[in-house]
Amino acid sequence: MNGRLGRPRRVSGARLRSLLRARSVAGQVLLLQVVVAVLLIVAAVVALAYQERHDGEQEAKSRSLAAAESFADAPGTARALTSPDPAAALRAHAEEARRGAGVDFFVVMTPDGTRLVDTDPSLVGTRAEGVERAAGGTPFAEIFEGAPNDAARAVVPVEGPDGTIVGLVSAGVEIENVGAAVNRHLPVLLVSAAGALALAVGSSALVSRRLSRQTHGLGPTEMTRMYEHHNAVLHAVREGVILIGGDGRLTLANDEARRLLELPAAAEGRRVTELGLDEDIAELLASGRTVTDEVHLAADRLLAVNTRPTAPYGGASGTVATLRDTTELRALSGTAEVARERLKLLYEAGVRIGTTLDVRRTAEELSEVAVPRFADFVTVELLDPVLRGEEPTDEHTEMRRAAVSGIREDPPLQPVGDLIRFDDPTTPMAAALATGHAALEADLRVAHGWRAQDPEGADRALAYGIHSLIAVPLQARGVVMGMANFWRSERPERFEEEDLAFAEELAARAAVAIDNARRFTREHTMAVTLQRSLLPRVLPEQEALEVAYRYLPAQAGVGGDWFDVIPLPGARVALVVGDVVGHGLHAAATMGRLRTAVHNFSALDLPPDELLGHLDELASRIDEEEAGDGSGDGITGATCLYAVYDPVSGSCSMATAGHFAPALVMPDGTVDFPPVPVFPPLGLGGGPFETAEMRLPEGSRLVLYTDGLIEHRDRDVDTGLRLLCDTLAGHRADRTAEETCQAVFSAMLPPHRRDDIALLVARTRLLERDRVADWDVPADPAAVAPVRAACGRQLEAWGLGDIGFTTELMLSELITNAIRYGSEPIHVRLLRERSLICEVSDGSSTSPHLRRAATTDEGGRGLYLVSQFAGRWGTRYTPTGKVMWTEQPLTGGPQPVAELLLDDLSW
C-alpha cells in the first residue's frame, strides 16, 4: 500500500511546492488553507488533550469519591473509629479498599483531620489540609495541590449512630498517574491530527488547482486591478450593459443600464419580461436574437440595442446586451439633416431660379422653391421699374406683388398685382429695407408694428393660422429690387435666428436672377420694339394671294427672322422669308437692313435670282465693313427665300440662299417640297443663284417658314419636315390660309422657343380671263389709233369709261415710244384688278428716262405726261425685252389737269 500510494504523494508534493512557490491567488489560497488547517488541527489536539486530562481528573475524582463513600458507609468503619485503637482496626481494611478501588492513596482521619491511617505511613499523625467542609458533614471531591502530592482526592465524613461525625475518609489519585493515562492516548490523537492535516492539504490543493484554472494564474494584485477595472468600466461607461441567462433572467446590469431602462433595485434574478420594460425591448432581450444597432423606444428615450450570445466566448449560455442612448444623437442628426436639407434647397434654388429670364416667372420660381420645405407661404414684391425691365429707383415704399405660392390656394394675403405699401417704419418689411438684412418676427401675435400697417389684414392672417415671418430685401449690386416674405402657418415651429442666414442666401441668389431677368427684359423689349418696327405691321392689299402669317419671337431673345409680302407690277406678288443667325439687337438690326434691301431691289422688279445676287453682294460688303471696324458682328449666315407669283399665268418663280424650300399643298391635298436649287447663305459669295419656275393651280397653298418651326432641341430637321408634311396633309384641301396657319402652329409649336418662328401661308388665286385684255401691235405708227380705240371699248365694257380718256392718252404715249424707240414684238395688255394696269412690252432693253423738256424741245414730254396721270408707273425687264407699265385707280379723277396739260403739249 505504501508503494502504491507513494508516487501520487510525491506528485502532489511537487504540485504543492509549485503552488506554494507561485505568487498567484491559487497558491496563496492554498498556503492560507494549509496554515488554517494546521492551526485548527493543533487547536483540536490541544483541546482533545485538555479534554482528556479533564476527563481523567473527573474520573479520578469520581472514583476517589466512590471509594471514600463506600469505605465511610461500611458498617464497621464508624465502630472502628470509636474503638480504642481505630488505626489498628482500620489499617488493613483501608489498604484493601485502596486496592479494590484502584486509587493511589486511602486516608482515615479524625474529625479534625489528623491522619489515623494513611497509605504513606510517614504521614500518619499529621493533619490533612482542606478537610473542614467534610468535618462539617459535607463530602466533596477536588483537585488538590499541596503536600504531600498534587492529587484528585475525595473527603467523606463518617457519621456515628447518633449522626455525629466520628471521622473522615479520604481517597485519591495522584495527578502524575492521571497525566500518564492521558499520555497513553496522545499518539492516537497525533495520528488522527496528521491524517486530518493530510486530508485538509489534499482538499486545499484540489480547490487551489480549480481556482488556478478559474483565475488563469493571476496574482492578487492583478485580480484586484482587474476587478477594479471591471467595476470602473462596467459602471462608468455611458453605455448600458446587461447579462441575461439562458433562462431569460437578468444576471447583471450596470448603472447606465439601470438608468436607461429604469430597472427596480432588486432586478437581478428576475425575468426580463417581469421588469416592466417596453414590450418590444423586453421581447428582444428575452428572445436571444442577435441584432446590431436596433433602435427601440424605452420611456422617452431612443435606445440603440446590440445583442450577442455569451456561450461562444467562454461564458454560460445567455445573452449580453449593450444599450446606447441615441436621443441626443438623434437630435444632433436632426440638426445635421436640417443643414443638409438647407444646402440641398440652396442647390435646387440655383438650378430652378432664373431659368426663363422672365422677371415675373423668376419671382414665382423663388416662391415655389421655398414651399413647403422652408415656409408654408412665400410672397414676392418687386418695384414697378424692375417689372418693366428698367433700373430700380431709390423709392422703396411701394412695390407690386409679383408672386404668391403656398401649401394652400386660399391664403389671406394680397394677390398678385396688388400694390404693397411699406409706409410704417415699424413693420418688419420696412426694417429689412432700412438695414439691408432679413428681419425676423418669430411670433406675429405680438408683432405690433406688423399689425399697425394693416390691422384688418393682420387679423385675417392670424385667424388663418399664420404665426411667423421672415422679411428679406432682394438686393443685387447693392440695389434693392424687391422684397421676399416667408410665412409659416401649418408648421408649428417658429422661424428662428439661424433661419435668417438661409433666407438671406436664398434671397441673394434670387435677386441676382431677377436682376439678370430685368436686364434681359430691358434688352428684349428694346430688341422686340426694334424688330416689330422693322417687320410689316399689316399686309399690303392685293388680290393675287390669300395670305396669313404667324410670327413669334424667341422666348430667350429676339432673333433675326423676317417675312414680307410685296406687291409687284402686273398684279404680281413677291413672298419673302429670311433668317439672320443670332439673337439680340444686332440680329434685329441686321434683319431690318436686309428687309429694306429686299424692298429696294424688288422695286426694280428684278427676278428672284438677280435679287438674291444683289442681296448677297450687299451682305458681303457689309461683312467687310463691319470686320474692318473691329466689331466682328457681320451678317454672314443669313438665309433668304424670294418667290414671285403671277396671278395671270399662275406661274411662280423662286430662288433661295441657304433657306428651306417651301411646302406646296396642291388643291387635292397632296403635299410636296418643290425642287428649288440650294445655294449657300448670303454673304458667302455663293452666286450666281438660280430660279426655279413652276405653275401653281388655283387654290394651291405655299407654306414658307423659318427653321424655328421645324427644328428645336427635342426635334431634328427631318422629323420636323415630316411632321409639317403630315400636318398639312391631314386636313381638308380647301381650308383657308388662316386655318392652315392655325393648324401648323397647334401641331408644331415647341414648348420653349429658343428661336424665332416665322410662318407665311399664301393661297393662290388666278385673275379671271375676262379681266385681262391684250393686243399685239405692229411696228407702225398708224397702228396706235386702232389699238387705242380697242382699249377704249374694253374700258367701256369694264365700266371704266370715266378713266378712258387718260388711259388712252397714256397708252398712246407708251405705244408710240415702243414703236419709235423699241423693237418687235410689241404687245399691249390691260389688267383690271384693284387698279387698272396698262402694260406695253417690246423686244428692246433700252430704258426710257423721265426728264423735263425745254420750251424748244420737240420731244421728252410723253413720260412726264404719263407720270402725271398714272398713280404708279415704271419699267421692268424680261428675258426678251422690257415692259412699261402704269397703274391708276378704277375711278376717274378731275379732268382740268389733263386738259391743261393737253393745252401745253405740242405734237
Side-chain angles (χ1 to χ4, degrees):
M1 180 180 294
N2 290 338
R4 287 187 289 109
L5 297 177
R7 187 173 180 181
R9 288 175 181 171
R10 287 196 298 273
V11 173
S12 298
R15 184 177 298 278
L16 178 60
R17 287 192 299 273
S18 175
L19 290 173
L20 289 175
R21 285 196 304 269
R23 301 181 62 184
S24 64
V25 172
Q28 295 188 12
V29 169
L30 174 60
L31 180 60
L32 181 61
Q33 288 180 330
V34 171
V35 171
V36 171
V38 169
L39 292 178
L40 290 177
I41 292 171
V42 170
V45 171
V46 172
L48 289 174
Y50 176 78
Q51 183 66 34
E52 187 69 21
R53 185 177 182 83
H54 178 269
D55 291 344
E57 290 178 351
Q58 292 297 323
E59 182 182 359
K61 288 192 295 181
S62 299
R63 192 166 66 247
S64 299
L65 181 60
E69 288 178 345
S70 297
F71 190 81
D73 292 337
T77 302
R79 289 193 305 270
L81 287 172
T82 60
S83 66
D85 189 4
L90 294 173
R91 184 176 298 112
H93 292 292
E95 182 64 21
E96 183 180 356
R98 182 189 69 79
R99 288 196 298 271
V103 295
D104 292 333
F105 62 87
F106 212 92
V107 181
V108 179
M109 297 172 287
T110 62
D112 59 357
T114 302
R115 293 181 177 88
L116 298 175
V117 178
D118 196 322
T119 303
D120 186 1
S122 61
L123 296 176
V124 174
T126 61
R127 291 188 66 177
E129 298 177 0
V131 295
E132 290 78 7
R133 287 181 294 168
T138 302
F140 66 89
E142 64 178 354
I143 300 299
F144 174 76
E145 295 180 358
N149 293 309
D150 295 338
R153 71 174 183 174
V155 182
V156 178
V158 179
E159 296 180 357
D162 55 358
T164 60
I165 303 302
V166 294
L168 301 174
V169 177
S170 175
V173 180
E174 294 181 359
I175 294 300
E176 292 181 357
N177 293 332
V178 174
V182 173
N183 291 337
R184 289 195 300 270
H185 294 87
L186 186 57
V188 177
L189 291 176
L190 293 177
V191 171
S192 299
L197 179 60
L199 181 61
V201 170
S203 61
S204 298
L206 293 176
V207 172
S208 298
R209 182 180 179 184
R210 176 68 176 176
L211 182 60
S212 178
R213 287 199 301 268
Q214 294 292 330
T215 60
H216 301 284
L218 295 175
T221 303
E222 290 83 356
M223 288 290 293
T224 302
R225 186 164 56 247
M226 182 179 70
Y227 179 76
E228 291 173 350
H229 290 174
H230 170 268
N231 270 352
V233 172
L234 187 64
H235 297 289
V237 294
R238 290 294 306 275
E239 189 166 300
V241 179
I242 59 175
L243 289 175
I244 301 98
D247 56 355
R249 296 181 182 275
L250 180 64
T251 303
L252 179 144
N254 69 346
D255 295 341
E256 184 69 7
R258 292 179 180 276
R259 183 184 71 84
L260 295 177
L261 297 177
E262 299 181 357
L263 295 176
E268 283 82 356
R270 296 171 60 183
R271 295 186 180 275
V272 292
T273 55
E274 301 172 355
L275 297 177
L277 304 178
D278 289 284
E279 183 177 352
D280 291 343
I281 195 169
E283 185 276 331
L284 172 63
L285 297 177
S287 66
R289 291 188 291 111
T290 299
V291 299
T292 300
D293 287 338
E294 188 172 293
V295 178
H296 288 268
L297 181 65
D300 58 347
R301 298 184 179 89
L302 289 175
L303 302 183
V305 183
N306 295 271
T307 59
R308 296 291 186 274
T310 59
Y313 306 99
S317 176
T319 302
V320 59
T322 60
L323 313 169
R324 186 172 66 257
D325 190 353
T326 61
T327 306
E328 296 180 0
L329 180 61
R330 183 60 60 89
L332 293 176
S333 300
T335 303
E337 182 65 25
V338 170
R340 184 164 54 251
E341 183 65 21
R342 295 284 172 85
L343 289 176
K344 182 179 179 181
L345 186 56
L346 286 177
Y347 171 77
E348 291 184 5
V351 174
R352 293 174 55 184
I353 298 177
T355 58
T356 61
L357 291 176
D358 179 82
V359 175
R360 294 184 181 274
R361 180 55 192 155
T362 303
E364 293 173 357
E365 290 170 342
L366 168 60
S367 64
E368 291 169 357
V369 77
V371 176
R373 288 185 288 177
F374 180 64
D376 295 328
F377 295 96
V378 177
T379 59
V380 180
E381 294 84 45
L382 298 177
L383 295 170
D384 280 334
V386 174
L387 290 170
R388 295 192 298 267
E390 302 172 2
E391 285 289 338
T393 63
D394 294 334
E395 183 62 39
H396 304 150
T397 58
E398 291 184 356
M399 295 186 185
R400 187 77 57 182
R401 179 145 292 173
V404 177
S405 294
I407 58 176
R408 295 172 59 183
E409 298 296 333
D410 58 342
L413 304 171
Q414 291 179 257
V416 173
D418 273 17
L419 190 64
I420 311 298
R421 299 181 181 274
F422 307 120
D423 299 327
D424 194 329
T426 61
T427 62
M429 294 79 169
L433 291 172
T435 62
H437 296 284
L440 170 65
E441 284 291 351
D443 190 353
L444 291 176
R445 293 172 296 181
V446 296
H448 302 294
W450 172 70
R451 296 175 63 90
Q453 179 73 31
D454 183 8
E456 295 182 0
D459 291 339
R460 289 194 302 270
L462 292 175
Y464 187 83
I466 293 177
H467 59 83
S468 193
L469 164 68
I470 289 180
V472 191
L474 298 175
Q475 301 179 95
R477 301 176 290 109
V479 179
V480 174
M481 302 284 169
M483 170 72 62
N485 302 306
F486 303 93
W487 313 79
R488 281 185 177 174
S489 61
E490 298 291 332
R491 185 180 304 188
E493 300 89 358
R494 300 175 181 176
F495 285 116
E496 299 177 351
E497 291 292 336
E498 54 265 25
D499 295 322
L500 294 178
F502 172 78
E504 288 186 345
E505 179 66 23
L506 186 61
R509 299 191 181 198
V512 173
I514 290 174
D515 189 43
N516 292 337
R518 179 195 64 80
R519 291 168 177 265
F520 173 80
T521 300
R522 180 183 61 186
E523 296 181 2
H524 185 72
T525 301
M526 295 173 58
V528 168
T529 302
L530 174 62
Q531 185 186 47
R532 293 194 181 279
S533 68
L534 298 175
L535 287 173
R537 299 186 179 183
V538 294
L539 295 180
E541 296 182 357
Q542 48 81 33
E543 294 185 355
L545 296 169
E546 176 193 346
V547 179
Y549 69 94
R550 294 288 188 278
Y551 184 87
L552 288 178
Q555 293 175 326
V558 175
D561 293 12
W562 90 92
F563 68 94
D564 227 328
V565 178
I566 305 173
L568 297 177
R572 295 167 304 133
V573 177
L575 302 175
V576 187
V577 173
D579 183 6
V580 176
V581 176
H583 296 84
L585 290 175
H586 183 266
T590 301
M591 177 270 290
R593 299 171 73 178
L594 293 179
R595 178 171 180 259
T596 302
V598 170
H599 270 270
N600 292 335
F601 292 140
S602 65
L604 300 176
D605 211 347
L606 300 176
D609 55 341
E610 293 185 19
L611 185 143
L612 290 183
H614 289 293
L615 199 62
D616 179 63
E617 182 180 355
L618 173 64
S620 299
R621 186 167 60 253
I622 294 175
D623 280 344
E624 292 175 0
E625 293 173 356
E626 294 187 350
D629 64 14
S631 64
D633 293 329
I635 61 174
T636 301
T639 64
C640 183
L641 172 68
Y642 187 82
V644 177
Y645 174 69
D646 186 351
V648 178
S649 62
S651 65
C652 180
S653 59
M654 64 181 70
T656 177
H659 204 85
F660 293 101
L664 176 59
V665 184
M666 302 302 288
D668 60 0
T670 59
V671 181
D672 191 15
F673 293 92
V676 181
V678 179
F679 289 88
L682 300 174
L684 299 180
F689 296 91
E690 294 184 15
T691 299
E693 297 282 349
M694 63 194 72
R695 188 170 297 277
L696 303 180
E698 187 175 12
S700 302
R701 282 165 289 166
L702 270 176
V703 181
L704 290 74
Y705 51 88
T706 56
D707 58 354
L709 178 69
I710 61 174
E711 181 184 15
H712 57 82
R713 182 174 56 187
D714 300 325
R715 186 170 64 203
D716 57 22
V717 174
D718 293 337
T719 303
L721 290 175
R722 286 195 299 270
L723 180 59
L724 176 62
C725 183
D726 295 340
T727 303
L728 295 173
H731 297 79
R732 69 181 192 275
D734 60 343
R735 61 182 171 180
T736 64
E738 179 63 28
E739 291 173 342
T740 303
C741 271
Q742 184 62 41
V744 171
F745 256 47
S746 299
M748 303 191 62
L749 193 65
H752 181 72
R753 300 186 303 277
R754 303 177 64 89
D755 197 2
D756 293 2
I757 298 177
L759 175 65
L760 186 63
V761 178
R763 193 167 187 266
T764 62
R765 297 169 178 161
L766 289 178
L767 195 62
E768 294 85 350
R769 292 305 305 169
D770 59 357
R771 298 173 65 181
V772 179
D774 55 347
W775 300 270
D776 291 327
V777 181
D780 182 1
V784 174
V787 173
R788 178 176 175 176
C791 290
R793 289 192 296 273
Q794 183 64 53
L795 292 176
E796 289 291 340
W798 284 343
L800 301 178
D802 294 342
I803 62 174
F805 176 75
T806 56
T807 302
E808 292 176 10
L809 181 61
M810 289 186 294
L811 281 175
S812 296
E813 289 297 325
L814 295 178
I815 295 172
T816 301
N817 282 339
I819 294 174
R820 182 178 298 179
Y821 303 109
S823 61
E824 293 183 324
I826 300 173
H827 190 78
V828 176
R829 185 172 71 169
L830 296 181
L831 303 176
R832 183 178 178 276
E833 201 199 24
R834 301 178 62 86
S835 61
L836 179 63
I837 302 171
C838 302
E839 296 179 345
V840 178
S841 62
D842 65 79
S844 172
S845 58
T846 303
S847 176
H849 298 284
L850 176 66
R851 64 184 179 87
R852 180 173 293 275
T855 305
T856 59
D857 289 343
E858 295 183 358
R861 295 179 178 84
L863 287 182
Y864 177 74
L865 179 67
V866 171
S867 67
Q868 294 299 312
F869 282 96
R872 295 173 60 213
W873 71 281
T875 304
R876 75 173 184 270
Y877 297 92
T878 65
T880 59
K882 68 178 182 294
V883 177
M884 294 290 294
W885 59 269
T886 64
E887 289 185 7
Q888 61 190 113
L890 297 179
T891 57
Q895 298 297 323
V897 175
E899 294 173 355
L900 178 62
L901 289 174
L902 291 174
D903 291 342
D904 294 339
L905 289 177
S906 60
W907 295 88

